[in-house]
């Protein structure tokens, strides 16, 4: 059941209007099998929202629909226009489960790729890449090749590449799932620091209750296929979050509530 203190998923979220709006969105495979929905979800500008659910529930599909990498079978996906966009384009950054780096190119070259594809000028590319690398702590690794990097560093490169175009919306599909716990905790903290500084709208997919509650302002619990919203939880915590919040009674209690909701959502009918 939904947390009664929360607005419904279709209500406009705070912080300056809605950045992402899904209305009655469904997705079916060519076989006819339903993968998602109907799904109604509103994400506010600057909000950090996590989608939490079992494998195959449509979390990644929802991200792909938001990004325009796939089209819904029904319903609508609406995005707020990027202020600096031309021809009504939307600025979206996407961090996938795997870093998908070009092995022959340096860290700098991998981060520069979106700007090169957009035919940005050389000076602009250099300045933006330097800024993105500095933000993710990779200034000193700019000339390294992917094979010289740890898993955590590769994911930082992927994050820098997503940020280099200065997107309004950052979509993240289980980016830290394959990392060890210490590295994952560190990247969680670094991601929150970036979010506080840049105030991007973030939609984050994860299987981890603990990660979802630690990172998010709002956690959306989804049902098994076809993915629908089973419950929502708002996470209220003083900023900046850190070790004190992770070890607090409030964090533990919220994790239990979200975990219980996830268990209920995945119970056989």
């Amino acid at each position: 059941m939904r947390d009664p203190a929360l607005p419904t998923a279709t209500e406009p979220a705070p912080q300056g209007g809605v950045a992402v709006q899904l209305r009655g969105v469904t997705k079916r495979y060519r076989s006819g099998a339903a993968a998602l929905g109907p799904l109604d979800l509103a994400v506010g500008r600057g909000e950090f929202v996590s989608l939490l659910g079992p494998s195959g529930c449509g979390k990644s599909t929802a991200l792909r629909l938001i990004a325009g990498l796939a089209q819904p079978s029904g319903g609508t996906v609406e995005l707020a226009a990027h202020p600096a966009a031309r021809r009504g384009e939307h600025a979206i950054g996407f961090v996938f489960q795997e870093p998908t780096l070009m092995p022959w190119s340096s860290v700098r070259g991998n981060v520069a790729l979106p700007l090169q594809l957009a035919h940005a000028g050389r000076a602009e590319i250099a300045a933006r890449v330097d800024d993105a690398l500095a933000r993710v702590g990779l200034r000193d690794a700019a000339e390294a090749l992917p094979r010289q990097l740890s898993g955590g560093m590769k994911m930082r490169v992927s994050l820098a590449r997503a940020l280099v175009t200065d997107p309004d919306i950052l979509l993240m599909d289980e980016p830290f799932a394959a990392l060890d716990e210490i590295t994952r905790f560190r990247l969680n903290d670094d991601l929150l620091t970036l979010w506080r500084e840049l105030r991007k709208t973030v939609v984050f997919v994860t299987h981890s209750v603990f990660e979802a509650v630690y990172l998010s302002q709002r956690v959306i619990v989804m049902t098994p296929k076809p993915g629908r919203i089973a419950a929502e939880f708002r996470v209220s915590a003083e900023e900046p979050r850190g070790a004190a919040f992770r070890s607090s009674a409030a964090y533990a209690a919220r994790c239990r509530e979200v975990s219980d909701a996830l268990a209920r959502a995945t119970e056989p009918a």
Side-chain angles (χ1 to χ4, degrees), residues 36 95 221:
L36 186 69
V95 181
V221 178

Side-chain angles (χ1 to χ4, degrees), residues 3-4 42-43 53 61 74 78 138 144 161 183 192 200 210 236 259:
D3 185 327
V43 181
T61 298
E78 302 169 11
L138 287 180
R161 185 174 56 192
T183 302
L192 283 179
K200 304 297 184 186
F210 305 103
S236 299
S259 183

Side-chain angles (χ1 to χ4, degrees), residues 2-66:
R2 294 178 187 268
D3 185 327
L6 284 174
T8 65
T10 53
E11 286 185 17
Q15 302 186 30
V18 175
V20 179
Q21 181 90 55
L22 280 66
R23 301 179 189 271
V25 169
T26 61
K27 183 64 178 179
R28 288 184 174 274
Y29 298 122
R30 290 183 178 179
S31 64
L36 186 69
L39 184 64
D40 295 286
L41 176 66
V43 181
R45 288 185 183 272
E47 190 178 17
F48 197 125
V49 171
S50 284
L51 305 183
L52 175 70
S55 296
C57 74
K59 304 183 300 297
S60 297
T61 298
L63 287 195
R64 292 177 62 83
L65 294 175
I66 294 170

Side-chain angles (χ1 to χ4, degrees), residues 99 101-110 137-138 140-157:
L101 304 180
M102 300 180 294
W104 60 85
S105 185
S106 67
V107 167
R108 180 181 297 280
N110 273 282
L138 287 180
D140 294 337
E143 306 309 323
L145 293 173
R147 67 172 180 270
Q148 300 171 301
L149 306 178
S150 66
M153 292 176 73
K154 289 177 182 177
M155 194 51 69
R156 289 178 186 274
V157 177

Side-chain angles (χ1 to χ4, degrees), residues 183-265:
T183 302
R184 188 170 185 165
F185 282 5
R186 185 176 298 120
L187 283 169
N188 283 171
D189 288 336
D190 290 347
L191 176 59
L192 283 179
T193 297
L194 283 170
W195 174 72
R196 284 191 297 270
E197 291 175 352
L198 302 175
R199 283 296 171 179
K200 304 297 184 186
T201 302
V202 180
V203 184
F204 188 95
V205 163
T206 181
H207 281 101
S208 170
V209 170
F210 305 103
E211 183 171 61
V213 173
Y214 184 72
L215 289 174
S216 310
Q217 293 182 294
R218 188 158 51 112
V219 178
I220 308 296
V221 178
M222 296 180 65
T223 65
K225 189 187 301 181
R228 298 182 176 93
I229 295 176
E232 299 177 45
F233 296 88
R234 190 167 296 283
V235 182
S236 299
E238 291 185 7
E239 295 286 353
R241 298 180 188 182
F245 174 59
R246 203 188 290 275
S247 60
S248 68
Y251 173 70
R254 211 45 158 170
C255 286
R256 283 194 298 270
E257 293 169 352
V258 174
S259 183
D260 289 345
L262 181 61
R264 290 193 298 272

